């Protein structure tokens, strides 16, 4: 039991939620000045 | 609650005044129809992120789904996973950039207008506009109810009065300032929401004795799960429901999938992509959007579940019992009873901000759909500011009337219904439309119609949570649902979305070689 939560499915959910929020920060930082592509559909 | 009414009134008035002043700044910047409809297509990344996030997160997420977490437990955190993974990362990277590029190139100003121009089909514009005008008032009404439920006891005014106050004040700056005013005020309101939810998380864990102690106390309450819920598969508030049980289906299919996927094709959010000047703006918005959503839904669902610990420790009752059986009343009651007086004010402002930011976006989306995509399509008035203002007022009145009529505990359900319909009707046609080199009109039409019709049929005749209160199935067939368990608890999105997707893909593959590639419009 981690942080009082016994179910790994709940813990994985919290881990993924925090991890994805961090991924957003990393993506935004890495592509801060992304060059524009000129293609369209 | 012992908040000084004078202090409360003054702070609320300051907030409302600030909102109206910011809305006025947006109004002053609105010079053309493009400004009114897509904020001039040059919004700042911070504005896009906070506007998208604040529009995405409403009182439904905080009050409605927070209350659901009190009822169903921390399994709702999986909705936060989808909110960030799909609602931010996938939405911005996979759809946002393409939508912005195509929207700019085709000069699309609304979601139905975008669909019409991608597929070169006015019929698609009519159908998607019609779906928006018919279904969005339901979601709007749910948000109005969420805000009014908190305002009513806090300001000690009638429920009807709080509904009208809420609706009218929000409509004022939307009607006059258009999308620029909406996005300016969204950013202001999003900032208040972020501060409010952060404070709520900290104070809630303090109220239940800390993170581990609070969670452990909640875990130890598993034996208190009401028999009715236990019989349907609930195992506790810190564990997932039993796999395949009715509550598992409700949690996973209606709440997590229905809302988590539904966000991808919400017209009021898709328009936000078209306000970005370039893709850099969208990348920068992602950096803010992810943490913002984590602090909104992640906190609401965690605190919602923990309210059980607080109410049990203070009154020996579960949260749902303390709230008189009304799921939508749990979070407001917890805030009023457990939080320091000053935070009750902060949270009132947070809720006002959450509701107003989403309401304003929905008013704008409904009003422009009514005028630009239905009534005035192809006519000069389709881009008339005056007519859009009338359209917004009409839809505001309709939504407020609907809010009076809806039953209790409806917030989360109505939100999930709207998002499920959006996904089933719009998502396949939208996704293929922004990526296909030769978007097939017939495929989009059939996909949209099949998604909407199947979603409605499943809602009215199979999914017992809606078919029972609707009563249509009972009136025609003499029973609440045409199918037995587990089908009667499977959310319509799980059926309607795959079918509309299959229709879209099969017809797209079949007809894409027959339909000539449309020449790219001039930039």
């Amino acid at each position: 039991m981690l942080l009082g939560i016994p179910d790994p499915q709940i813990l994985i959910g919290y881990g993924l939620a925090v991890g994805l929020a961090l991924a957003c920060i990393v993506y935004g930082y890495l592509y801060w000045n992304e060059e524009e592509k000129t293609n369209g559909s | 609650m012992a908040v000084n009414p004078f202090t409360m009134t003054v702070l609320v008035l300051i907030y409302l005044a600030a909102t109206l002043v910011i809305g006025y700044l947006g109004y002053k910047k609105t010079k053309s129809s493009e400004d009114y409809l897509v904020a001039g297509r040059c919004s700042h990344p911070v504005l896009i992120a906070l506007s998208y996030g604040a529009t995405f997160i409403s009182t439904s997420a905080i009050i409605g789904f927070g209350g659901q977490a009190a009822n169903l437990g921390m399994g709702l955190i999986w909705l936060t996973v989808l909110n960030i993974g799909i609602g931010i990362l996938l939405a911005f990277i996979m759809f946002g950039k393409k939508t912005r590029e195509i929207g700019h190139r085709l000069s699309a100003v609304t979601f139905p207008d975008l669909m019409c121009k991608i597929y070169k089909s006015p019929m698609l514009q009519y159908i998607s506009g019609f779906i928006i005008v018919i279904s969005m008032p339901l979601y709007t009404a749910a948000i109005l109810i969420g805000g009014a439920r908190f305002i009513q006891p806090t300001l000690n005014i009638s429920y009807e009065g709080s509904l009208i106050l809420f609706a009218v004040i929000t409509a004022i700056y939307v009607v006059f300032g258009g999308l620029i005013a909406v996005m300016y005020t969204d950013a202001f309101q999003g900032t208040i929401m972020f501060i409010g939810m952060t404070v709520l998380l900290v104070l809630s864990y303090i109220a239940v004795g800390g993170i581990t102690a609070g969670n452990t106390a909640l875990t130890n309450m598993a034996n208190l799960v009401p028999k009715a819920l236990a019989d349907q598969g609930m195992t506790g508030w810190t564990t997932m429901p039993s796999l395949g049980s009715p509550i598992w289906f409700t949690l996973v299919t209606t709440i997590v999938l229905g809302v988590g996927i539904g966000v991808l094709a919400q017209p009021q959010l898709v328009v936000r992509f078209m306000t970005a000047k370039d893709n850099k703006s969208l990348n920068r918005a992602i950096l803010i959007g992810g943490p913002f959503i984590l602090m909104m839904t992640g906190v609401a669902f965690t605190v919602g579940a923990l309210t059980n610990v607080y109410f049990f420790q203070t009154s020996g009752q579960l949260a749902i019992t303390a709230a008189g059986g009304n799921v939508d009343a749990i979070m407001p009651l917890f805030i009023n009873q457990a939080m320091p007086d000053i935070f009750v004010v902060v949270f009132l402002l947070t809720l006002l901000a959450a509701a107003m930011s989403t309401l304003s976006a929905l008013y704008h989306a409904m009003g422009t759909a009514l005028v630009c995509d239905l009534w005035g399509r192809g006519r000069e008035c389709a881009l008339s500011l005056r007519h859009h203002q009338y359209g917004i007022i009409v839809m505001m009145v309709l939504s407020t009337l609907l809010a009076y009529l809806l039953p209790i505990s409806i917030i989360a359900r109505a939100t999930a219904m709207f998002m499920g319909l959006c996904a089933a009707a719009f998502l396949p046609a939208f996704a293929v439309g922004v990526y296909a080199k030769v978007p097939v009109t017939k495929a989009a039409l059939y996909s949209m119609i099949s998604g909407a019709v199947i979603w409605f049929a499943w809602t009215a005749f199979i999914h017992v949570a809606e078919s029972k209160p609707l009563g249509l199935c009972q009136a025609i067939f003499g029973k609440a649902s045409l199918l037995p368990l587990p089908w009667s608890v499977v959310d319509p999105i799980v059926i309607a979305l795959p079918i509309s997707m299959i229709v879209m893909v099969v017809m797209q593959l079949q007809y894409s070689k027959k339909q000539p590639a449309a020449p790219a419009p001039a930039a």
Side-chain angles (χ1 to χ4, degrees), chain B residues 111 131 135 257-267 415-431 447-448 451-452 455 491-494 496-501:
Chain B
F111 176 76
I131 292 172
S135 65
L257 293 179
V259 178
I261 296 173
V263 74
L264 274 180
Q266 282 189 55
T415 304
M417 285 173 72
F418 169 73
M419 296 195 180
L421 175 59
C422 279
F426 298 144
L427 185 53
F430 172 54
S447 167
M448 206 178 270
W455 179 88
D491 195 81
I493 192 177
V494 177
L497 178 58
I499 291 176
S500 70
M501 209 176 275

Side-chain angles (χ1 to χ4, degrees), chain B residues 304-470:
Chain B
L306 287 170
T307 58
N308 286 292
V309 177
Y310 173 80
F311 285 115
F312 190 71
Q313 288 176 349
T314 54
S315 64
Q317 293 177 310
L318 295 178
I320 187 72
T321 312
N326 186 355
V327 171
D328 299 339
I330 293 173
M331 291 294 281
L333 186 70
F334 172 72
I335 301 296
N336 277 310
Q337 288 193 6
M339 296 291 126
D341 293 348
I342 185 64
F343 186 72
V344 176
V345 181
V346 172
F347 197 73
L348 169 69
L349 298 183
T350 301
L351 275 185
L352 271 175
M356 289 174 81
S357 56
T358 309
L359 267 187
S360 58
L362 295 178
Y363 284 160
H364 186 267
M366 291 189 296
T368 54
L370 182 67
V371 173
C372 185
D373 305 313
L374 288 179
W375 181 69
R377 204 219 151 264
R379 299 194 297 189
E380 203 176 311
C381 59
L383 293 178
S384 147
L385 290 188
R386 177 69 57 85
H387 287 92
H388 280 113
Q389 290 172 336
Y390 292 152
I392 290 168
I393 292 170
V394 168
M395 296 311 295
M396 184 269 287
V397 172
L398 286 177
S399 308
T400 310
L401 287 174
L402 186 61
Y404 279 114
L405 301 173
L406 289 177
I408 63 166
S409 300
I410 191 67
I411 297 176
R413 177 71 57 188
T415 304
M417 285 173 72
F418 169 73
M419 296 195 180
L421 175 59
C422 279
F426 298 144
L427 185 53
F430 172 54
V432 172
V434 295
Y435 273 100
K437 285 187 177 168
V438 186
V440 175
T441 309
K442 196 183 276 186
L445 269 173
Y446 279 87
S447 167
M448 206 178 270
I449 293 169
S450 64
V453 169
I454 292 166
W455 179 88
F456 176 77
W458 198 270
T459 298
F461 297 103
I462 309 291
H463 197 223
V464 75
E466 284 100 26
S467 66
K468 195 172 177 184
L470 278 174

Side-chain angles (χ1 to χ4, degrees), chain B residues 139-427:
Chain B
Y139 181 36
T140 310
I143 291 157
L144 275 168
I145 293 169
R149 288 258 180 254
F150 193 77
I151 289 178
Q152 181 192 359
T154 309
L155 290 185
N156 198 24
I157 58 176
S158 69
Y159 175 65
E160 291 76 12
S162 57
L163 267 183
I164 292 171
L165 184 75
F166 222 172
V168 170
I169 288 178
T170 307
I172 288 173
Y173 66 82
V174 184
V175 166
F176 288 104
L179 197 57
I180 295 181
V182 169
M183 291 183 77
Y184 278 15
T185 51
D186 281 354
F188 169 62
Q189 290 155 345
T191 307
I192 292 175
M193 289 161 67
F194 190 86
I195 294 168
M197 295 305 281
T198 305
V199 176
L200 176 65
L201 180 69
V202 174
L203 292 184
S204 296
Y205 267 119
I206 290 174
V208 295
I211 295 175
T212 304
N215 292 343
T216 303
L218 190 60
T219 300
N220 293 339
M221 290 173 66
N223 60 327
L224 299 174
V225 171
K227 188 173 181 308
L229 291 176
D231 289 345
Q232 293 190 59
M234 181 150 172
T235 58
W237 286 275
T238 56
T239 51
M240 287 291 282
S242 301
L243 185 68
S245 64
I247 286 190
W248 185 91
F249 273 109
T250 300
L251 179 65
V252 174
T253 67
T254 299
I255 295 179
V256 175
L257 293 179
V259 178
I261 296 173
V263 74
L264 274 180
Q266 282 189 55
Q268 75 278 14
L269 294 179
V270 171
V271 168
R272 296 294 181 280
F273 299 137
M274 295 196 280
T275 68
K277 183 182 176 186
D278 49 32
N279 285 348
K280 273 189 292 192
S281 301
L282 293 177
N283 290 337
R284 294 173 185 183
I286 292 171
L287 188 147
I288 299 165
F292 181 84
I293 298 298
L294 176 69
M295 289 309 295
M296 296 298 115
T297 62
V299 170
F301 304 157
T302 304
V303 171
L306 287 170
T307 58
N308 286 292
V309 177
Y310 173 80
F311 285 115
F312 190 71
Q313 288 176 349
T314 54
S315 64
Q317 293 177 310
L318 295 178
I320 187 72
T321 312
N326 186 355
V327 171
D328 299 339
I330 293 173
M331 291 294 281
L333 186 70
F334 172 72
I335 301 296
N336 277 310
Q337 288 193 6
M339 296 291 126
D341 293 348
I342 185 64
F343 186 72
V344 176
V345 181
V346 172
F347 197 73
L348 169 69
L349 298 183
T350 301
L351 275 185
L352 271 175
M356 289 174 81
S357 56
T358 309
L359 267 187
S360 58
L362 295 178
Y363 284 160
H364 186 267
M366 291 189 296
T368 54
L370 182 67
V371 173
C372 185
D373 305 313
L374 288 179
W375 181 69
R377 204 219 151 264
R379 299 194 297 189
E380 203 176 311
C381 59
L383 293 178
S384 147
L385 290 188
R386 177 69 57 85
H387 287 92
H388 280 113
Q389 290 172 336
Y390 292 152
I392 290 168
I393 292 170
V394 168
M395 296 311 295
M396 184 269 287
V397 172
L398 286 177
S399 308
T400 310
L401 287 174
L402 186 61
Y404 279 114
L405 301 173
L406 289 177
I408 63 166
S409 300
I410 191 67
I411 297 176
R413 177 71 57 188
T415 304
M417 285 173 72
F418 169 73
M419 296 195 180
L421 175 59
C422 279
F426 298 144
L427 185 53

Side-chain angles (χ1 to χ4, degrees), chain B residues 64-81:
Chain B
F65 287 86
Q68 288 293 342
N71 214 22
L72 303 177
M74 288 180 168
L76 264 83
I77 194 64
W78 279 96
L79 177 53
T80 302
V81 174

